[in-house]
Amino acid sequence: MSDDWNDYADGWDGNSDVRTYAARAFAALDAYAGITGGGWQDKRVLDFGCGTGLLSEKLAPHVRDVAAVDTSDRMIAVLQEKALPNVRALHLDILDSSGQGAGEDLSGFDLICASSVCGFLPDYKSAVAALAGRLNSGGLFVQWDWLAPEQGGSGLTEQQVRDALRDAGFESIRVEHAFTMDAGGQAMPVLMGSGVRAAE
């Protein structure tokens, strides 16, 4: 697999597994947070590591706006071509402390989603802590990642997710099996981790 996500951008939306993953992630989020229930119309969402925006597409009809950020310019280009009315597609590294993205109003979110992103980050714990700071008090962080059989394997363990959410100061932490994908006859479990930013 290439290390450059740009190499996958053009065919990403045509991959049925990618579309299924996004649909199942959204269904798990909706079951947990009631996104389609009508109470989210005035809420702001950050889709961190959005790729081509398959999750943003599902969120957008139910929320005020979605800031969709990714470090792959080709993935963002595909999302921009979709011209979703309340989705801002931004090519930037939101974790870069050098001021990249300044002026983009990338804080004060009610929900931050990270779908199949955190397990690929070089410093997962620091990233979660940084993202927590972009949430409103009471805001929700939700991630989906491949379940690693043990630490050091591909993906994240339940304990790694719990520790990162706890260390970032989240409350009401939940880590659970969200769904399972089939990869050539092999079952690939997916974790959903979530936490609420403590009221200040």
Side-chain angles (χ1 to χ4, degrees):
M1 184 171 176
S2 169
D3 289 333
D4 188 347
W5 290 100
N6 283 334
D7 295 344
Y8 302 102
D10 291 336
W12 196 249
D13 284 7
N15 184 322
S16 61
D17 287 341
V18 169
R19 297 191 76 85
T20 298
Y21 191 111
R24 290 181 178 173
F26 181 74
L29 175 64
D30 191 30
Y32 172 48
I35 300 295
T36 61
W40 283 81
Q41 292 96 337
D42 63 342
K43 306 293 187 186
R44 300 182 64 233
V45 178
L46 172 66
D47 186 358
F48 170 71
C50 65
T52 59
L54 292 174
L55 185 59
S56 292
E57 286 181 58
K58 297 180 183 310
L59 285 161
H62 309 289
V63 301
R64 188 174 96 196
D65 59 69
V66 179
V69 302
D70 202 286
T71 57
S72 165
D73 58 330
R74 280 298 307 138
M75 290 278 191
I76 288 296
V78 172
L79 175 52
Q80 287 171 333
E81 288 165 12
K82 297 176 183 180
L84 302 171
N86 61 333
V87 175
R88 284 184 300 148
L90 302 169
H91 170 234
L92 58 86
D93 182 354
I94 196 172
L95 301 176
D96 182 356
S97 59
S98 67
Q100 185 187 24
E104 290 288 359
D105 190 22
L106 294 173
S107 62
F109 292 103
D110 302 291
L111 169 66
I112 294 178
C113 293
S115 179
S116 191
V117 179
C118 293
F120 296 98
L121 297 172
D123 190 346
Y124 163 53
K125 287 182 101 170
S126 293
V128 172
L131 291 170
R134 296 181 181 273
L135 280 167
N136 288 325
S137 294
L140 180 64
F141 173 81
V142 182
Q143 69 178 85
W144 298 267
D145 285 280
W146 301 111
L147 171 63
E150 70 277 325
Q151 194 158 342
S154 179
L156 295 169
T157 67
E158 289 191 31
Q159 194 60 52
Q160 283 176 299
V161 175
R162 283 187 197 284
D163 289 348
L165 295 174
R166 184 198 65 230
D167 291 351
F170 284 112
E171 297 179 339
S172 305
I173 293 169
R174 291 173 51 169
V175 182
E176 56 204 311
H177 173 252
F179 53 91
T180 300
M181 297 290 292
D182 177 64
Q186 181 183 1
M188 300 275 291
V190 176
L191 282 179
M192 183 171 89
S194 62
V196 176
R197 182 174 179 185
E200 294 175 354

